Amino acid sequence: MNGIFIKILLSLAIFTNAAAAADSLPSWNDTAPKKAIVAFVENVTREGSPTYVPVAERIATFDNDGTLWAEQPIYFQFLFAIDRVKTLAPEHPEWKTREPFASLLRGDMKSALAGGEHAMLEIIMGTHAGTTTEAFEKIVSDWIATARHPQTKRLYTQMVYQPMLELLAFLRANGFKTFIVSGGGIEFMRPWGEAVYGIPPEQVVGSSIKTKYEMRGDRPVLVRLPEIDFIDDKAGKPVGINSHIGRRPVAAFGNSDGDLQMLQWTTAGEGPRFALLVHHTDAKREFAYDKGAEKALDEAQEKGWTVVDMKHDWKVIYQPAKR
Amino acid sequence: MNGIFIKILLSLAIFTNAAAAADSLPSWNDTAPKKAIVAFVENVTREGSPTYVPVAERIATFDNDGTLWAEQPIYFQFLFAIDRVKTLAPEHPEWKTREPFASLLRGDMKSALAGGEHAMLEIIMGTHAGTTTEAFEKIVSDWIATARHPQTKRLYTQMVYQPMLELLAFLRANGFKTFIVSGGGIEFMRPWGEAVYGIPPEQVVGSSIKTKYEMRGDRPVLVRLPEIDFIDDKAGKPVGINSHIGRRPVAAFGNSDGDLQMLQWTTAGEGPRFALLVHHTDAKREFAYDKGAEKALDEAQEKGWTVVDMKHDWKVIYQPAKR
């Protein structure tokens, strides 16, 4: 026990230093969003104050794509799926003539996606199902360790937003439990979420396909089935939060219309609440776009939610790349 | 921050006392199960040893009915459902002539359950759906605070097993994260799981019905639908564990065939693993029965899992009742 006790004391020392530090958010400019975050955290942690929130209730939920890491030119999980189509093609000769796979294999993304949601689903099911959960975890881990973004040439984990990493750490140092609540695949995020964000698998909520328990000889496995289990997006986000967390967050962070209901659900609770949208305004350092975030940005203005203007509010977007 | 810091130091002081105490399991006789538990915990917490398990991986899952609290003459959640049928009957005049409700209202449980699983499902859907999640939480909280067991006349929360409460605390004091993984309803357990077991809502996995996000005026709600979402029993338990926790437990605790797959899944992992079955052998202090646990008891013997003989291994079953 002694070893553990010392470790905890050490981590506490770090913890109090972090929280007491003059600036736990060094990559944030000293503009309104940073001030709003710091004021909220002070309000909920000030004991005896009417805005105090007990530690057990300090739940903060974060969208992933476009909120914790970039999502252009397309969700990174979809780039993973395309790489999987290429890898798996020799085992699927029928893909040469079957859409959307045929177009993808020719490098014609536009035609591949012409089928819309149905085409996306085909690609996900063709690349995310059929393995055991253990095998899929290894596939994701190997890909995330080596694949690089087509434009920045960075590892995808080097396209996480440094200011958001600081925010996650700042909240945790103040007693918050941080969760991912993403439309992305839960099994796509878990293998690297702990190392990159400090968010353990049990605090990741996402979309999922069904799994089935079966014995292979003496060994039980969970097999991933080509069947949607849950879509953790839009009105699905409060449903996923209720299912996995079982209490309403006091703070929620998103960037698009897919996060709107999560922010509504979070702010509809009693007591102090915090809602923040990351607004992609920095064409030079990241990407500039409002598409798919119009409703959320309107409602943020109407309700006084915090909006981060990436260009003006963030000193740094990504950590310096290690190659 | 100071207040929080002091609180954490105080809780740490309790924590190290608990773990360092000569006996963290005073309600357990000094027989094989207690020795096996203590040896396992020593093995996984001994730093530098080949059996050491990092804190983040110390996941322990507990069945609820028959493992953490009693389950006779029938699951307590079903007694809740029957009480709900009586309460809701004035709003449902059709129940007077509709089975299984008609029999239930006449107090004829045997006829009510003659329809088997379908009848159970009818009763659950008729009593667990149709409200918002918030309203249902209040209904459960009110019931659990006042309803009493037909035989013992105790509150149901006074029918939790004292040795298991000590075990939960002992594991947590040694860095484990404790989860409930129960066939019972997730929303039935969450309202009181934290106060009674020290297990927060986000660490409760259970069966669920679907919910739907909708706006009522300006206010978003989650409405409980009369539709099964997930059955967290038997082969569903590893599926639920994978969905909610995302990593394999190192220790699992159950009492019946409904827990068998959870114990198989847990023990199939690499490194030290612990599986325990509570065997109901004490007709005098609790109930004596093997029904529904035959397969699990056989496999426990075959694989050398720990089996608790309640009559011989536990000094106390329940805490003294407060009335």
Side-chain angles (χ1 to χ4, degrees), chain B residues 80 97 129-130 135 173 185 193 231 242 259 272 318:
Chain B
F80 162 76
T97 53
I231 302 289
N242 186 61
D259 305 312
Y318 309 127

Side-chain angles (χ1 to χ4, degrees), chain A residues 12, chain B residues 3-17:
Chain A
L12 267 176
Chain B
I4 290 171
F5 185 57
I6 289 162
K7 271 200 178 166
I8 288 165
L9 280 181
L10 282 173
S11 71
L12 267 178
I14 294 161
F15 156 32
T16 45
N17 281 344

Side-chain angles (χ1 to χ4, degrees), chain B residues 33 36-37 40 167 250-253 263 266-267 272-276 305-306:
Chain B
I37 291 165
F40 171 75
L167 176 55
V250 291
F253 303 83
L263 270 57
T266 298
T267 53
R273 302 282 155 172
F274 191 79
L276 181 148
W305 296 339
T306 295

Side-chain angles (χ1 to χ4, degrees), chain B:
Chain B
M1 276 315 299
N2 265 352
I4 290 171
F5 185 57
I6 289 162
K7 271 200 178 166
I8 288 165
L9 280 181
L10 282 173
S11 71
L12 267 178
I14 294 161
F15 156 32
T16 45
N17 281 344
D23 192 354
S24 303
L25 303 170
S27 299
W28 293 68
N29 283 318
D30 201 23
T31 46
K34 178 175 174 172
K35 288 176 184 166
I37 291 165
V38 171
F40 171 75
V41 169
E42 284 176 357
N43 282 339
V44 301
T45 56
R46 195 182 301 118
E47 286 196 76
S49 103
T51 56
Y52 179 77
V53 173
V55 168
E57 292 167 25
R58 292 186 203 158
I59 303 288
T61 56
F62 289 80
D63 171 56
N64 186 40
D65 299 306
T67 301
L68 292 178
W69 74 355
E71 60 175 356
Q72 296 293 342
I74 194 166
Y75 299 133
F76 296 169
Q77 188 176 354
F78 197 69
L79 299 173
F80 162 76
I82 293 172
D83 283 353
R84 291 297 297 157
V85 168
K86 290 174 191 161
T87 305
L88 294 169
E91 296 167 36
H92 292 274
E94 77 280 11
W95 283 356
K96 274 185 202 156
T97 53
R98 195 177 132 203
E99 290 300 344
F101 303 100
S103 296
L104 268 191
L105 289 170
R106 285 194 312 269
D108 179 359
M109 179 105 80
K110 200 177 162 195
S111 301
L113 294 181
E117 205 169 292
H118 180 73
M120 292 274 276
L121 214 58
E122 283 275 301
I123 294 165
I124 292 290
M125 291 310 177
T127 54
H128 284 59
T131 64
T132 66
T133 51
E134 284 166 293
F136 189 73
E137 183 179 343
K138 181 163 171 19
I139 290 165
V140 171
S141 297
D142 290 348
W143 184 83
I144 204 87
T146 55
R148 287 182 185 271
H149 188 270
Q151 287 153 267
T152 67
K153 309 297 178 196
R154 285 170 168 250
L155 293 174
Y156 292 103
T157 52
Q158 293 173 342
M159 292 181 72
V160 303
Y161 305 135
Q162 175 61 21
M164 296 304 280
L165 293 179
E166 293 167 7
L167 176 55
L168 285 166
F170 178 60
L171 289 173
R172 288 193 293 260
N174 283 283
F176 280 82
K177 213 176 219 185
T178 53
F179 288 79
I180 292 174
V181 177
S182 168
I186 192 166
E187 302 285 35
F188 176 73
M189 298 180 284
R190 279 174 165 165
W192 49 272
E194 191 153 27
V196 173
Y197 299 134
I199 297 180
E202 63 269 26
Q203 286 163 226
V204 177
V205 182
S207 297
S208 53
I209 58 178
K210 293 197 173 174
T211 64
K212 183 173 179 288
Y213 181 83
E214 63 178 50
M215 297 299 293
R216 290 192 175 168
D218 272 356
R219 189 169 166 72
V221 294
L222 286 171
V223 181
R224 292 169 60 76
L225 306 179
E227 194 182 339
I228 290 285
D229 177 47
F230 180 65
I231 302 289
D232 189 50
D233 198 31
K234 297 191 171 74
K237 288 205 174 190
V239 171
I241 287 169
N242 186 61
S243 165
H244 283 257
I245 308 177
R247 47 184 149 203
R248 195 189 298 255
V250 291
F253 303 83
N255 83 113
S256 81
D257 295 350
D259 305 312
L260 180 54
Q261 289 83 352
M262 173 168 77
L263 270 57
Q264 290 170 342
W265 177 245
T266 298
T267 53
E270 286 175 21
R273 302 282 155 172
F274 191 79
L276 181 148
L277 277 183
V278 173
H279 188 193
H280 296 270
T281 54
D282 196 329
K284 200 175 158 205
R285 296 186 301 172
E286 203 235 7
F287 306 94
Y289 57 99
D290 284 355
K291 194 168 182 295
E294 298 89 343
K295 285 182 204 170
L297 288 165
D298 282 353
E299 193 154 328
Q301 188 166 32
E302 188 188 312
K303 295 191 172 166
W305 296 339
T306 295
V307 177
V308 168
D309 177 334
M310 289 175 77
K311 190 171 173 181
H312 292 106
D313 295 325
W314 286 357
K315 286 181 194 159
V316 173
I317 306 285
Y318 309 127
Q319 284 183 308
K322 289 154 268 178
R323 298 233 171 152

